Amino acid sequence: MTVEEMRALEANSDYFGVTYGMLMENAGRKAAESIIASYKKCMVLVVCGTGNNGGDGAVVARLLANAGYNVMVILLGRVGQVKHGPALINLEIVRGMDIPVIEAATPGQIPEEAFAECDLIVDAILGTGFHGTPREPARTAIRLINESKAHKVSLDLPSGLDANTGECVECVCPDLVIAFHAPKKGLERYRVEVVDIGIPEKALTHIGPGDLIGLKTRGDFVEKGGGGRLLVIGGGPYTGAPTFTALAAYRSGAEIVTVAAPRRAANIIASFSPDLIVRPLSHEDVLVTEDVPMLKKLIERHHAVAVGMGLGREPETLAAVKEILPLCERVVIDADALQPDMPLHGIITPNVHEFERLSGEHLGPHDDAAEIVKAFSAKNGLVTLWKGSPAVVSDGNMVKVNSTGNPGMAVGGAGDVLAGIVGAFYCRNPAYKSACAAAFISGTAGDMAFEDKGYGMMASDMLNMIPYAVKKYWPRKEK
């Protein structure tokens, strides 16, 4: 399991009720049980870092002491440097038990004799967040662990191992690695015992905040427009639909959004907001094939395209869409563009009726929507975001059910808002990940709007809540 996948599972687990503190307690308890089963009562040295891996070590220290082992803890840093939350709480519990805790913020403060006098060393210095080369005092501690004749057990992975690459420049050489939930990259060369830390099944099957981890945002790019340029091709009979899509993309973090629409619709759309860049097409009322050359140039200047919202189903419009879709490398296809004879690819966002039109499958309340959507996605080689209740996302290989949203979102324009969120994320991220994250944010924005407006909510209320939903759940990058 990759570091990002593990972080996502932990975040989803916390969201669905098995908190980070519970996971740490479960991990430490399972590790302690494994140690007790393998090693008789003896002198144990637990070497802890200041992060969550150190918190796991503190739990192990407490439980081994309760089981009659003679335990000492070396903290590589000061107590004030320990990560706030479960790690600090568990360290304070250990200190309250009168288990010796030695703070060693520098190599010179590490008591080298402790490594020679103990029978067993528990390595809880660096976890999955580590990459590169260990810095002091961890570097000295790793050397002292390896030089000791004591048995060595590493928690989750040997300190110094880069779980992103599997590479090890300077790391602990353990007799046993107790891996939490699943093995990480690079552990194949060690003796490994995998233990269950209580991650709930729902964290694997349902979308949660963890599915936002790793998404690139505007802040990851320097050049103007690098954060995402989305082209919305829509409008004609309807003008609100492409407007909702464009504004939702902006609210989701897209940097530049252009709406290409027939002339009458373009004039109306431009009047809604000065934030929108609007490009009128050649015909007064509908998209036509004569617009394809101009749209081809626009497509080339944008990272992704959202097409279909508000276009109508005039034969000449659908003929134009059929020519446009193959020109798009990244495309979100919605509404009127979702026709069985279209060259569909990228991400499609059908509602229940549109999915039935495409697949011939009518999904009732007792059908296994996840498996049906997964099979359809596999057959057609695309990502499907099925707007059922609950929503389902699949790329044909993976499938997840969305955990947010409410019946109040069954209102005109809500699907157009979702398409804009998908398009904004898809500008710079993989299709499946973008669709999952968009479903979660859209549902969260809908939940926030429903809490305020109830069944009087409109799509514009959802639109206004997108930034708050993003702000609430977007993972903060640790410094």
Side-chain angles (χ1 to χ4, degrees):
M1 178 165 281
T2 67
V3 174
E4 186 175 297
E5 288 169 343
M6 194 64 206
R7 287 179 61 208
L9 275 183
E10 291 169 346
N12 284 353
S13 177
D14 184 74
Y15 179 76
F16 290 119
V18 181
T19 66
Y20 286 108
M22 293 176 182
L23 292 177
M24 185 173 288
E25 179 69 19
N26 291 344
R29 176 169 50 81
K30 287 291 187 177
E33 289 173 357
S34 179
I35 290 169
I36 291 168
S38 300
Y39 301 97
K40 62 184 180 180
K41 293 178 184 178
C42 59
M43 295 263 309
V44 180
L45 175 65
V46 183
V47 188
C48 296
T50 55
N52 287 331
N53 196 246
D56 299 331
V59 175
V60 170
R62 165 168 52 88
L63 295 176
L64 290 183
N66 286 341
Y69 289 73
N70 189 349
V71 179
M72 172 187 286
V73 175
I74 295 178
L75 173 66
L76 299 178
R78 301 295 183 195
V79 172
Q81 297 172 310
V82 175
K83 186 174 183 178
H84 282 256
L88 181 58
I89 290 170
N90 280 298
L91 179 65
E92 292 291 7
I93 292 172
V94 167
R95 294 175 78 199
M97 293 173 64
D98 293 328
I99 296 172
V101 177
I102 299 172
E103 297 176 77
T106 65
Q109 293 174 328
I110 298 175
E112 296 190 17
E113 65 279 3
F115 294 82
E117 294 169 357
C118 66
D119 304 299
L120 174 67
I121 299 175
V122 177
D123 160 33
I125 304 171
L126 301 170
T128 55
F130 168 79
H131 59 88
T133 303
R135 293 178 293 186
E136 296 292 6
R139 187 175 182 178
T140 294
I142 289 171
R143 176 179 58 79
L144 290 170
I145 291 173
N146 288 336
E147 290 175 354
S148 173
K149 294 180 180 179
H151 294 283
K152 306 166 186 70
V153 176
S154 290
L155 302 186
D156 205 22
L157 72 171
S159 291
L161 179 74
D162 188 328
N164 282 304
T165 64
E167 296 176 354
C168 174
V169 179
E170 293 181 69
C171 63
V172 170
C173 299
D175 300 297
L176 173 66
V177 177
I178 302 173
F180 302 143
H181 181 72
K184 315 307 183 294
K185 195 168 186 178
L187 291 189
E188 59 275 0
R189 54 184 177 268
Y190 300 98
R191 178 185 163 217
V192 178
E193 181 179 339
V194 179
V195 296
D196 179 10
I197 61 172
I199 289 176
E201 184 68 18
K202 204 169 183 180
L204 292 157
T205 60
H206 285 59
I207 302 170
D211 292 277
L212 277 64
I213 289 174
L215 281 176
K216 290 185 172 64
T217 67
R218 195 187 303 172
D220 294 309
F221 301 92
V222 176
E223 77 277 12
K224 185 173 177 60
R229 299 190 297 272
L230 179 68
L231 173 64
V232 178
I233 303 174
Y238 307 98
T239 56
T243 307
F244 278 133
T245 298
L247 292 176
Y250 269 132
R251 291 297 192 188
S252 305
E255 193 168 335
I256 295 173
V257 182
T258 305
V259 181
R263 285 203 303 269
R264 183 190 65 83
N267 291 334
I268 297 171
I269 293 167
S271 71
F272 286 134
S273 173
D275 297 296
L276 300 175
I277 303 168
V278 182
R279 296 295 298 269
L281 299 176
S282 64
H283 196 280
E284 185 70 18
D285 297 309
V286 294
L287 172 69
V288 294
T289 54
E290 286 79 5
D291 295 318
V292 174
M294 171 192 171
L295 289 171
K296 183 176 185 297
K297 293 179 181 178
L298 284 174
I299 289 167
E300 291 170 351
R301 295 203 293 268
H302 292 77
H303 295 114
V305 180
V307 60
M309 45 292 302
L311 279 177
R313 301 183 197 173
E314 293 294 328
E316 55 190 332
T317 295
L318 297 182
V321 171
K322 193 175 291 188
E323 291 187 30
I324 290 166
L325 292 181
L327 303 175
C328 306
E329 182 179 350
R330 291 173 175 245
V331 63
V332 180
I333 308 171
D334 188 39
D336 296 322
L338 291 171
Q339 303 296 331
D341 59 343
M342 288 291 176
L344 301 176
H345 64 107
I347 303 173
I348 65 170
T349 55
N351 60 28
V352 174
H353 303 295
E354 290 160 348
F355 185 78
E356 183 176 356
R357 187 169 73 214
L358 293 174
S359 67
E361 297 267 9
H362 176 75
L363 293 178
H366 303 296
D367 291 323
D368 189 347
E371 285 306 310
I372 293 172
V373 171
K374 180 181 177 182
F376 174 83
S377 299
K379 179 181 177 181
N380 293 277
L382 44 69
V383 171
T384 304
L385 198 173
W386 179 70
K387 296 182 289 194
S389 181
V392 174
V393 181
S394 180
D395 64 354
N397 179 36
M398 299 174 286
V399 62
K400 280 199 168 187
V401 176
N402 187 40
S403 58
T404 59
N406 61 82
M409 293 170 64
V411 62
D416 304 307
V417 170
L418 172 61
I421 302 172
V422 177
F425 293 165
Y426 193 24
C427 282
R428 285 304 201 181
N429 297 285
Y432 179 70
K433 193 170 186 67
S434 299
C436 286
F440 181 81
I441 290 297
S442 172
T444 301
D447 289 341
M448 290 176 170
F450 186 78
E451 186 176 344
D452 185 41
K453 305 289 186 183
Y455 287 107
M457 67 176 279
M458 300 182 295
S460 54
D461 299 314
M462 277 182 62
L463 191 68
N464 294 331
M465 291 298 176
I466 293 171
Y468 300 100
V470 171
K471 186 176 180 181
K472 182 175 181 179
Y473 288 113
W474 203 276
R476 292 182 175 87
K477 290 188 171 76
E478 293 187 16
K479 296 181 179 179

